[in-house]
Amino acid sequence: MKKYKKNSGGNLLLKTGMVWAVLLVATVLMFFISIAIGSVRFSLPEIWYALWHEDAGNAYVIIYSLRLPRALLAILVGASLSSAGALLQAVMRNPLADPGTIGVSAGAGTAAITILLLFPNMTLSVPLFAFIGAAVACVLIYLLAWNDGINPVRIILAGVAVNAVLGGYNSFLQLQNSDNLSGVLAFMNGSLSGRNWTHVRVMALYAGIGLFLAFLCIRNANALQLGDEMAKNLGVRVNASRIALSAVSAFLAAATVSEVGMIGFVGLVAPHIARMLVGSDYKVLLPTSMLTGAFMVLLADTVGRSIWPGTEIPVGIMMSVFGGPFFLYMLRKRGNFNGA
């Protein structure tokens, strides 16, 4: 029996290593593809030369100043959103939970849209208000769900209700400001267009803090998905853990909303794919989700700006096209899930 367990553990470690290697290679390949293709195409030697030589002219401007920061931002956004979704799925014990479906992203988006439309002279404060909006939405969801403790089903129902109300408010705000929607539409659809090194640096700071906190939550995430009673037996403070994991998830979601707008389905699809590949242990699930999310957003953005010559489809729309059918597939297979 001991030998079997040892072999089983070794096989699992080998499988996880192979999955990580494949995802890492796929992400690196997609990274270079995203830099190479577009309205102007470049070969790998041209890309390499332009990255290190400013005298490359237009190639340097296109590759270093436009495509490289955009690709790096896609990776950071994908890793952040997928981690946020994975944590929420542990909190809810439901693989259909993500920041977009329960209202956390809507809270951040509502605050940002309010600033963009009603207080355009305060555009620089959008990240701060996005954080506040996500936090307020999260608190409101927990207040609505609280009844001598927090039940995951009540959290999801409260989140759906908050999401609907905020969605109605956003639509009303856009109707009342229909002459000033150019920037807001790009924000609502989630776009990496026009992003530069400043956005990359800011997002790298947010993602670094959020992902570090996410890794600190691994033990509690594993405990929560076992159920409240089992988590309590393991010495975990269930309600406090749910609030902490939700706060980290809200931070990561708000960071992405403030920098690139509303991008849905990443936090839903990436953790589920990761769970299919490596199982439900957050020690391996969280890193796998990050790699999967990074690859997905990078792929969606690359396809969106190259599939239709002369037209760029925002990454948020591309993720909806890919994620919607996957969400329906998950609903069909819901009976096979046992918790998060």
Side-chain angles (χ1 to χ4, degrees):
M1 181 64 71
K2 290 182 178 180
K3 183 178 180 180
Y4 170 78
K5 289 183 178 180
K6 183 177 180 180
N7 291 338
S8 178
N11 291 336
L12 180 60
L13 184 62
L14 178 61
K15 178 184 176 182
T16 301
M18 291 177 63
V19 169
W20 287 356
V22 169
L23 287 173
L24 187 60
V25 170
T27 303
V28 171
L29 287 176
M30 183 52 59
F31 176 79
F32 283 106
I33 291 173
S34 70
I35 296 175
I37 67 175
S39 56
V40 180
R41 293 176 178 257
F42 298 98
S43 65
L44 286 178
E46 288 175 323
I47 294 173
W48 185 256
Y49 183 84
L51 288 176
W52 302 103
H53 300 85
E54 294 186 27
D55 61 356
N58 289 335
Y60 176 83
V61 174
I62 294 172
I63 292 173
Y64 183 80
S65 300
L66 298 177
R67 294 185 185 174
L68 182 59
R70 182 169 180 159
L72 291 173
L73 191 60
I75 291 173
L76 292 171
V77 167
S80 297
L81 285 176
S82 58
S83 298
L87 292 181
L88 278 182
Q89 289 171 14
V91 171
M92 313 298 179
R93 297 205 306 275
N94 190 322
L96 301 181
D98 89 315
T101 58
I102 72 160
V104 175
S105 293
T110 297
I113 291 170
T114 301
I115 296 299
L116 291 172
L117 289 179
L118 301 184
F119 307 98
N121 59 325
M122 298 175 60
T123 303
L124 293 177
S125 63
V126 165
L128 173 62
F129 282 94
F131 289 134
I132 294 174
V136 170
C138 207
V139 171
L140 183 58
I141 289 167
Y142 273 93
L143 288 176
L144 291 173
W146 186 274
N147 184 14
D148 294 328
I150 299 174
N151 182 280
V153 175
R154 288 200 299 269
I155 296 177
I156 293 176
L157 294 176
V160 171
V162 169
N163 202 16
V165 171
L166 294 179
Y169 168 81
N170 291 341
S171 298
F172 174 78
L173 203 59
Q174 292 175 60
L175 286 174
Q176 295 300 309
N177 297 271
S178 57
D179 297 333
N180 190 29
L181 291 180
S182 56
V184 173
L185 288 177
F187 179 88
M188 288 295 294
N189 291 322
S191 176
L192 299 177
S193 178
R195 298 307 188 267
N196 54 41
W197 285 106
T198 300
H199 295 94
V200 173
R201 284 191 287 268
V202 173
M203 188 65 214
L205 175 62
Y206 293 154
I209 295 172
L211 294 176
F212 173 75
L213 294 175
F215 276 99
L216 294 181
C217 294
I218 285 176
R219 176 179 176 271
N220 287 348
N222 277 331
L224 286 178
Q225 66 178 344
L226 296 175
D228 291 1
E229 292 302 320
M230 182 66 73
K232 290 177 182 177
N233 291 337
L234 293 173
V236 174
R237 298 171 61 187
V238 174
N239 289 331
S241 295
R242 281 206 176 98
I243 292 172
L245 267 67
S246 298
V248 174
S249 178
F251 178 85
L252 287 167
T256 60
V257 169
S258 67
E259 292 303 308
V260 301
M262 309 282 285
I263 300 177
F265 291 106
V266 180
L268 172 71
V269 176
H272 182 63
I273 293 176
R275 191 173 286 108
M276 292 170 61
L277 294 173
V278 298
S280 298
D281 185 350
Y282 272 75
K283 292 178 182 178
V284 293
L285 175 63
L286 190 61
T288 308
S289 297
M290 291 169 55
L291 288 171
T292 306
F295 174 79
M296 285 173 51
V297 175
L298 198 54
L299 173 63
D301 183 55
T302 303
V303 172
R305 63 181 176 80
S306 59
I307 192 174
W308 196 336
T311 302
E312 180 173 312
I313 304 175
V315 64
I317 294 178
M318 294 303 301
M319 282 307 308
S320 296
V321 171
F322 295 149
F326 193 86
F327 183 78
L328 294 176
Y329 162 77
M330 291 176 66
L331 286 175
R332 292 281 295 175
K333 298 296 183 180
R334 183 65 181 89
N336 294 332
F337 293 143
N338 294 314

